[in-house]
């Protein structure tokens, strides 16, 4: 840029030019050649200059364009995502979890705690599970270097562990108060509560040493343990739902509403059975003074003792029944004649009465029936191929074939052996299975629910399964980088809180969390420094980001977050 001056009646006037220096051989020096004149300096069209600079910047790489357009005395320091934590933090405060943490108070033992810092650390750990799941050591580094969290510029590993230890002490009170806050904010319907369990395994050579435990699976003090007290390690061998019976595990339970909002979670030793944990769950939810609840569970909780327990008080249940259990009630329900009623495009229901206390509803899905038929035909054809020439084999060889088939339950179901030891298709069993195609049986103790409500209510049990899927695939419940039982339990609570925030976001935006997370994490805050100090500025919002914030009712982040003038 070249500036020239000219005197007129009003004084000195400055003119701006775009010039290029060219070598003049005659003069022996560089001479500026004017390429374009911008006019008087006091009448400069600055908007036009900005458009020109922006147009020229498109010819450069983004980093080079930033350096070229930034002031020579302003330095770009760093940039980290802010969109995800901005949204999660506002929901965290809207649910008043920050106030709940402060109300729950100081730990029962140990030195007093700074509850403001504890609350910020807990939020940061929950945000880490939702945005970038990692170990607590990696989470501390992520909080310090890779994300912007309001009120927590940096943190070490030990404060994270101390916050988790405090969380374990106050879990019961915190869960109750968080539920009350969520129920008020979202106007939750808790007439139906869906409950299910899962397991998560640990890469250990040996399970934990057995310790005395109460009926809820919590460790007992030596003075509380009696002679008939149950002894078990927390990470213990059990029936794995991840097909890893060879590794120690823990059992985790979760209750969700019909909208998929998780209201509470539990942890038990790895050898706990589904048929016993449901009683503890009902007792602890009763302490929350809820109105009438209809418990919806799958087939693992259908024993008579559990049904009696769930029916106590003003509660009821909807439980799936095992079609192949062989019980007299199931056989009688399936043998009753009657017409199905269409309740949805792919759902028909038929209610049968065979008990004074329970109602049975048979549900039939025509599409699922076609899939079951196709799978059975494939299995039968494969089995027919395996036994086709076995009549010519010796008894020993036929025994080998039968042993091989016995290890495949899907095939062994349709196999029978004649008195002479010949292998044949079990046509009676095939006919029985045809009658079960696309069907499932429900048992309900509520006399007022319609058959349609019972069927649709049980279908919503998929919300719990979706919760477990997100826990393991999005929040990364496993691997668990902890050895102490208290911290393993606290880790599960952190995952539950993260899932709670995610479900609220999905409910309000009608968008999956992975898609929302990708869009929000594109919103960054950049740090700049110069002679006068340091400041942080947020990038401009895109239309998808503005739409997400509008649906959630969350204000836009401030454009300038922090100003730190250089000390004089």
């Amino acid at each position: 840029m070249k500036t020239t001056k000219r005197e007129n009646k009003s004084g000195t006037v400055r003119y701006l030019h775009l010039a290029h220096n060219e070598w003049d051989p005659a003069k022996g020096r560089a001479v500026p050649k004017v390429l374009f004149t911008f006019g008087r300096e006091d009448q400069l069209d600055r908007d036009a200059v900005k458009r020109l600079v922006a147009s020229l910047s498109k010819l450069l790489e983004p980093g080079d364009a930033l350096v070229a357009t930034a002031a020579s005395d302003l330095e770009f320091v760093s940039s980290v995502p802010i969109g995800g934590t901005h949204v999660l933090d506002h929901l965290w405060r809207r649910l008043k979890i920050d106030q709940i943490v402060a109300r729950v108070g100081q730990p029962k033992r140990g030195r007093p705690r700074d509850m403001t810092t504890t609350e910020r650390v807990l939020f940061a750990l929950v945000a880490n599970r939702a945005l970038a799941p990692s170990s607590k050591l990696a989470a501390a580094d992520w909080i310090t270097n890779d994300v912007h969290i309001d009120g927590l510029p940096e943190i070490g590993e030990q404060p994270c562990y101390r916050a988790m230890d405090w969380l374990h002490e106050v879990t019961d009170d915190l869960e109750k108060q968080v539920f009350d806050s969520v129920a008020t904010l979202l106007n939750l319907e808790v007439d139906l509560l869906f409950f299910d369990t899962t397991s998560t395994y640990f890469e250990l050579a040996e399970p934990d040493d057995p310790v005395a435990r109460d009926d809820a699976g919590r460790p007992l003090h030596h003075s509380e343990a009696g002679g008939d007290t149950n002894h078990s390690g927390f990470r213990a061998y059990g029936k794995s739902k991840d097909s890893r019976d060879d590794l120690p595990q823990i059992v985790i339970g979760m209750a969700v509403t019909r909208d998929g909002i998780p209201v509470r979670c539990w942890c038990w030793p790895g050898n706990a059975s589904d048929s016993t944990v449901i009683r503890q769950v009902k007792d602890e939810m009763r302490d929350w003074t809820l109105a009438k609840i209809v418990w919806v569970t799958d087939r693992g909780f259908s024993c008579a003792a559990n049904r009696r327990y769930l029916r106590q008080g003003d509660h009821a249940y909807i439980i799936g029944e095992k079609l192949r259990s062989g019980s007299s009630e199931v056989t009688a329900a399936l043998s009753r004649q009657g017409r199905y009623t269409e309740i949805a495009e792919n759902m028909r229901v038929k209610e049968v009465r065979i008990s004074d206390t329970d109602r049975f509803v048979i549900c039939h899905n025509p599409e699922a029936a076609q899939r079951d038929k196709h799978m059975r035909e494939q299995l039968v054809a494969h089995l027919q191929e395996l036994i086709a020439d076995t009549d010519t084999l010796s008894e020993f060889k036929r025994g080998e074939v039968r042993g091989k088939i016995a290890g495949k339950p899907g095939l062994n179901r349709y196999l029978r052996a004649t008195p002479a030891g010949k292998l044949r298709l079990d046509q009676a069993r095939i006919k029985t299975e045809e009658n079960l195609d696309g069907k499932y049986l429900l048992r309900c103790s509520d006399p007022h629910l319609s058959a349609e409500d019972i069927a649709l209510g049980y279908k919503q049990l998929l919300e719990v399964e979706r919760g477990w899927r997100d826990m393991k695939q999005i929040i990364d419940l496993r691997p668990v980088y902890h050895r102490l039982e208290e911290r393993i339990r606290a880790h599960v609570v952190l995952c539950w809180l993260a899932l709670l925030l995610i479900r609220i976001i999905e409910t309000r935006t009608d968008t999956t969390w992975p898609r929302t997370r990708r869009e929000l994490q594109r919103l960054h805050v950049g740090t700049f420094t110069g002679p006068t100090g340091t400041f942080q500025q947020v990038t401009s919002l895109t239309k998808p980001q503005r739409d997400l914030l509008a649906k959630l009712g969350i204000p836009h982040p401030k454009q300038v977050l922090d100003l730190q003038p250089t000390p004089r």
Side-chain angles (χ1 to χ4, degrees), residues 262-279:
V263 298
R264 192 168 182 178
C265 65
W266 294 263
C267 292
W268 296 278
N271 56 6
S273 64
D274 286 349
S275 60
T276 57
V277 300
I278 187 66
R279 304 177 192 182

Side-chain angles (χ1 to χ4, degrees), residues 81-89 123 127 131 513 517 520-521 523:
I82 189 179
T85 54
H86 175 74
V87 168
L88 292 172
D89 201 2
F123 166 73
L131 298 171
W513 171 244
R517 178 175 58 188
L520 291 175
Q521 288 300 82
L523 183 65

Side-chain angles (χ1 to χ4, degrees), residues 332-343 347-353 359-364 439-442 451-452 455:
L334 293 175
S335 62
R336 292 292 178 88
Q337 300 297 317
R339 290 186 177 183
Y340 284 98
T341 302
E342 298 279 348
I343 64 171
M347 179 67 67
R348 304 188 303 163
V349 298
K350 177 176 66 175
E351 182 175 355
V352 294
R353 294 277 186 174
R359 301 164 58 196
F360 289 85
V361 176
I362 302 174
C363 303
H364 180 256
K439 295 179 182 178
Y440 56 92
L441 179 63
L442 305 179
E452 178 179 355

Side-chain angles (χ1 to χ4, degrees), residues 434-450:
E434 288 179 356
N435 295 330
L436 301 181
D437 286 350
K439 295 179 182 178
Y440 56 92
L441 179 63
L442 305 179
R443 181 195 292 260
C444 179
S445 64
D446 192 317
H448 305 296
L449 288 175
S450 65

Side-chain angles (χ1 to χ4, degrees), residues 276-287:
T276 57
V277 300
I278 187 66
R279 304 177 192 182
Q280 176 197 343
V281 171
K282 181 178 182 294
D283 289 343
E284 295 189 359
M285 293 302 294
R286 180 187 59 201
D287 295 339

Side-chain angles (χ1 to χ4, degrees), residues 262-454:
V263 298
R264 192 168 182 178
C265 65
W266 294 263
C267 292
W268 296 278
N271 56 6
S273 64
D274 286 349
S275 60
T276 57
V277 300
I278 187 66
R279 304 177 192 182
Q280 176 197 343
V281 171
K282 181 178 182 294
D283 289 343
E284 295 189 359
M285 293 302 294
R286 180 187 59 201
D287 295 339
W288 286 15
T289 62
L290 298 175
K292 176 181 177 180
I293 296 176
V294 178
W295 291 91
V296 185
T297 65
D298 66 6
R299 298 172 296 179
F301 305 95
S302 61
C303 71
N306 284 341
R307 295 198 301 269
R308 284 195 302 270
Y309 207 84
L310 290 178
R311 206 164 47 233
Q312 291 178 4
D314 196 23
H315 292 189
Y317 56 74
I318 300 173
I319 298 181
E321 283 289 329
K322 298 179 181 179
L323 291 178
R324 299 176 180 87
S325 65
S327 71
S328 58
E329 290 178 316
V330 172
T331 303
L334 293 175
S335 62
R336 292 292 178 88
Q337 300 297 317
R339 290 186 177 183
Y340 284 98
T341 302
E342 298 279 348
I343 64 171
E345 183 178 354
N346 294 313
M347 179 67 67
R348 304 188 303 163
V349 298
K350 177 176 66 175
E351 182 175 355
V352 294
R353 294 277 186 174
I354 60 174
S355 170
D356 295 334
T357 58
D358 288 341
R359 301 164 58 196
F360 289 85
V361 176
I362 302 174
C363 303
H364 180 256
N365 185 327
E367 288 188 359
Q370 291 295 325
R371 291 194 298 268
D372 292 343
K373 179 181 178 181
H374 178 68
M375 290 297 299
R376 185 179 58 259
E377 289 175 347
Q378 287 186 318
L379 290 172
V380 170
H382 183 42
L383 179 60
Q384 182 69 54
E385 182 180 349
L386 291 176
I387 65 175
D389 300 323
T390 55
D391 286 357
T392 61
L393 299 178
S394 66
E395 184 177 351
F396 178 78
K397 290 294 184 180
R398 280 201 304 270
E400 287 185 341
V401 174
R402 186 174 183 180
K404 180 180 178 181
I405 296 174
K408 301 177 180 179
L411 295 176
N412 192 54
R413 180 183 302 169
Y414 306 113
L415 179 68
R416 71 178 181 88
T418 67
K422 303 296 180 65
L423 302 182
R424 297 289 185 267
L425 292 177
D426 191 340
Q427 297 295 342
R429 185 60 181 269
I430 294 174
K431 181 65 177 178
T432 300
E433 290 293 318
E434 288 179 356
N435 295 330
L436 301 181
D437 286 350
K439 295 179 182 178
Y440 56 92
L441 179 63
L442 305 179
R443 181 195 292 260
C444 179
S445 64
D446 192 317
H448 305 296
L449 288 175
S450 65
E452 178 179 355
D453 289 339
I454 294 173

